[in-house]
Amino acid sequence: EPEVTQTPSHQVTQMGQEVILRCVPISNHLYFYWYRQILGQKVEFLVSFYNNEISEKSEIFDDQFSVERPDGSNFTLKIRSTKLEDSAMYFCATQSQWGNSPLHFGNGTRLTVT
Amino acid sequence: GENVEQHPSTLSVQEGDSAVIKCTYSDSASNYFPWYKQELGKRPQLIIDIRSNVGEKKDQRIAVTLNKTAKHFSLHITETQPEDSAVYFCAATQNYGGSQGNLIFGKGTKLSVKP
């Protein structure tokens, strides 16, 4: 079964540094999402992306965050200047173009900001 | 915006017993309600979902019920097994066109099934 692939699996960075989290969607999927999960808490929606633009974002997704699909395959989440509270598991999820299809989550990137 | 409440936060059952997890949602426009199972350190995995045009859906030992009037939905697991032990999340969203929109998750229920 095709999978959503995320890299790296674990990223450690210092406060104030920029990080880029990468996701390779399932090949025929057109809708892309980022979610985050702080340790022991619920999964929270960050942003949805379709047709090369953001379609919806949550209040968590402030100016420090950005997403893009630079080469038509990778889907990236950039955090410009990381804060301690950005430490979390970040999940990419993708969805096909067919109506009512489910989300497929990647294995996540654990981001640790020190 | 949508708000999803989930209860209980922890649930311990004996193997073979049934487990029920309940969620309420606030936005009457929500029409898609998936349930995810998350094992420690792993991705959330969809186990069952229901749309607002049906009241109940069953898949082997797992069933979900939806009461649109009361705005609540429940997950039922029968004949529980130790491998059912995990954190279960409910979620709700509006489904428009091909997109699920954003999923608003509940806080999760940690299910422990004791052999």
Side-chain angles (χ1 to χ4, degrees):
Chain A
E1 185 178 339
E3 289 189 347
V4 176
T5 305
Q6 287 186 245
T7 55
S9 57
H10 191 190
Q11 174 91 48
V12 181
T13 189
Q14 288 191 325
M15 194 168 51
Q17 295 297 303
E18 175 184 285
V19 294
I20 298 176
L21 310 183
R22 292 183 168 81
C23 171
V24 178
I26 295 172
S27 63
N28 63 346
H29 285 196
L30 298 181
Y31 298 93
F32 312 117
Y33 307 85
W34 283 102
Y35 288 82
R36 81 170 186 191
Q37 186 177 32
I38 295 170
L39 186 63
Q41 298 188 23
K42 66 178 176 179
V43 179
E44 299 174 291
F45 168 77
L46 294 179
V47 65
S48 58
F49 189 86
Y50 171 70
N51 200 26
N52 288 319
E53 60 183 25
I54 291 173
S55 45
E56 194 167 357
K57 59 183 180 180
S58 73
E59 56 191 28
I60 301 169
F61 194 87
D62 61 23
D63 292 345
Q64 293 300 311
F65 291 88
S66 62
V67 290
E68 63 176 358
R69 200 167 181 226
D71 55 9
S73 60
N74 289 294
F75 175 52
T76 62
L77 174 69
K78 182 192 291 186
I79 309 175
R80 259 180 279 281
S81 177
T82 50
K83 304 186 285 285
L84 294 176
E85 53 265 38
D86 293 328
S87 295
M89 181 73 92
Y90 288 81
F91 291 104
C92 172
T94 73
Q95 184 190 8
S96 81
Q97 73 273 30
W98 305 115
N100 299 331
S101 59
L103 292 186
H104 293 253
F105 281 85
N107 279 324
T109 293
R110 179 165 297 286
L111 177 64
T112 302
V113 182
T114 61
Chain B
E2 177 65 277
N3 183 50
V4 177
E5 299 287 341
Q6 183 171 349
H7 300 279
S9 56
T10 60
L11 179 59
S12 182
V13 299
Q14 286 295 131
E15 183 177 359
D17 287 350
S18 295
V20 180
I21 302 170
K22 298 181 179 181
C23 289
T24 60
Y25 62 99
S26 60
D27 189 348
S28 56
S30 289
N31 59 3
Y32 175 67
F33 308 94
W35 285 88
Y36 285 84
K37 176 183 180 182
Q38 188 178 34
E39 296 174 352
L40 190 63
K42 297 191 176 180
R43 73 180 97 183
Q45 293 199 299
L46 179 71
I47 54 171
I48 196 167
D49 57 11
I50 191 168
R51 300 181 189 280
S52 58
N53 58 343
V54 298
E56 185 172 358
K57 184 177 177 180
K58 192 173 181 181
D59 182 3
Q60 299 182 343
R61 296 186 297 108
I62 295 172
V64 58
T65 58
L66 171 66
N67 182 327
K68 283 190 297 182
T69 304
K71 291 190 281 190
H72 65 72
F73 56 113
S74 300
L75 177 72
H76 304 252
I77 306 174
T78 58
E79 300 171 32
T80 53
Q81 301 165 3
E83 50 266 39
D84 294 330
S85 297
V87 179
Y88 290 81
F89 291 96
C90 63
T93 191
Q94 290 183 48
N95 174 281
Y96 42 90
S99 169
Q100 301 288 7
N102 73 73
L103 286 177
I104 304 301
F105 283 83
K107 289 186 176 180
T109 296
K110 184 176 182 181
L111 174 65
S112 300
V113 180
K114 299 183 177 180

